[in-house]
Amino acid sequence: MTLSADPADRGHRDEQQPRATAPESATLHQALAGTGGLDTLLRDLTDRAVLAVAGAEACSITVRRDGRLLTVAGTDGLPSGLDQRQYENGDGPCVRAADSDAEQHAPDLSQEDRWPTYAAYALSRGVRTVLAVPLAVDGETDAALNLYATTEGAFRGSRTVARAFAANASDAINAALSIERERASAGDVRTALLSRSVIDQAIGILMAQERCTAQTALDTLRRVSQDANIKLRDLCGDLVARTTDGASDRASDGASHGRGGASRRRASQRR
């Protein structure tokens, strides 16, 4: 069996109306806006794919991270092990789609000779047809949208819709990744600002204690940080905390002594 489309897939049957129209990019972006992040979006996309692509009964998304393929989302109807068995074998429709950036279609796994070991396993799990469509995901070397069905030839007539869905899904995933990166950058900025604030406070404390310049105080803090193998931020935070706690204790003691002195003065006046 070749990797090209089956003759039966060409022509009018590939343009039949699916049971649900493939979502437009705007719809997927609306879904993104209402999700709790990238993980939630990916799960939502697999659910939407099953609704959009006629014949699909289960869906998963494969992505290569840190040099290995893994499934980052899947529908509840996805039989366990379908993707993992491919990763272990190093081949299969979703592995080849991700690796080669080329669509893979197995209309009848009982007649499949490209992945005999995987085909036998999938058939044992009740899966008869697989369609894996590459995803163009920024920052990821390999990714694919994998569709599964229990009937032979389930995706004849809906592969065009699957391709359109995968293209729109790629846009939504890339938008989500962009938001995730912006959030991470914002977090880094907040952390840097907080670090700068506590370092400035520590410099001020040291200037008051040692009667030195700001540069001398900073050099001293850096030297202690290096000698003690403690991050400068943590060292400064500890100094600020100890100084603040000490000031609070002195204020509390002063208030207590003040109350005691006032009581003694009132008692003396009464005598």
Side-chain angles (χ1 to χ4, degrees):
M1 182 179 291
T2 64
L3 298 182
S4 60
D6 300 330
D9 284 33
R10 301 193 184 101
H12 72 282
R13 285 199 293 178
D14 201 33
E15 303 303 327
Q16 291 176 353
Q17 290 295 321
R19 64 169 174 259
T21 303
E24 298 295 333
S25 294
T27 304
L28 290 178
H29 291 167
Q30 290 170 0
L32 166 62
T35 67
L38 182 59
D39 290 341
T40 305
L41 172 68
L42 293 173
R43 174 57 190 271
D44 183 64
L45 287 175
T46 59
D47 290 338
R48 286 171 178 264
V50 171
L51 294 175
V53 182
E57 298 175 52
C59 177
S60 68
I61 293 177
T62 293
V63 171
R64 185 180 298 280
R65 286 182 180 170
D66 298 325
R68 66 187 186 92
L69 291 172
L70 69 156
T71 299
V72 293
T75 57
D76 289 335
L78 183 67
S80 62
L82 273 180
D83 292 348
Q84 187 60 37
R85 186 58 62 94
Q86 296 182 67
Y87 307 152
E88 293 171 355
N89 293 340
D91 203 3
C94 71
V95 170
R96 194 169 296 187
D99 285 344
S100 66
D101 197 33
E103 180 180 313
Q104 305 295 313
H105 182 214
D108 186 356
L109 286 172
S110 68
Q111 304 298 317
E112 182 59 59
D113 58 8
R114 287 172 291 178
W115 318 289
T117 301
Y118 173 71
Y121 176 78
L123 287 168
S124 74
R125 305 295 295 168
V127 173
R128 188 77 178 271
T129 303
V130 180
L131 175 63
V133 185
L135 292 171
V137 180
D138 294 342
E140 305 290 354
T141 55
D142 306 296
L145 181 78
N146 315 305
L147 299 164
Y148 298 93
T150 59
T151 57
E152 180 270 333
F155 301 121
R156 292 193 180 100
S158 59
R159 289 174 65 185
T160 296
V161 171
R163 295 173 194 131
F165 186 95
N168 291 338
S170 296
D171 290 341
I173 293 170
N174 288 328
L177 286 170
S178 178
I179 291 173
E180 293 275 322
R181 293 185 188 109
E182 288 175 1
R183 288 173 178 168
S185 296
D188 291 341
V189 170
R190 285 193 296 271
T191 298
L193 289 174
L194 290 172
S195 297
R196 184 69 257 176
S197 175
V198 75
I199 291 171
D200 287 343
Q201 291 178 59
I203 289 173
I205 291 170
L206 208 55
M207 287 173 64
Q209 290 178 347
E210 303 296 329
R211 290 183 169 80
C212 62
T213 65
Q215 187 59 53
T216 300
L218 178 58
D219 291 342
T220 300
L221 289 168
R222 284 174 173 165
R223 185 173 62 255
V224 173
S225 170
Q226 293 172 357
D227 292 343
N229 194 26
I230 300 173
K231 290 182 179 179
L232 180 61
R233 181 189 62 213
D234 295 339
L235 176 68
C236 293
D238 183 59
L239 174 59
V240 170
R242 285 189 288 107
T243 304
T244 302
D245 290 344
S248 297
D249 291 342
R250 288 192 296 274
S252 177
D253 290 343
S256 177
H257 291 320
R259 287 192 298 272
S263 299
R264 287 190 294 273
R265 283 195 299 272
R266 286 195 297 271
S268 177
Q269 291 170 357
R270 283 196 298 270
R271 289 196 296 271

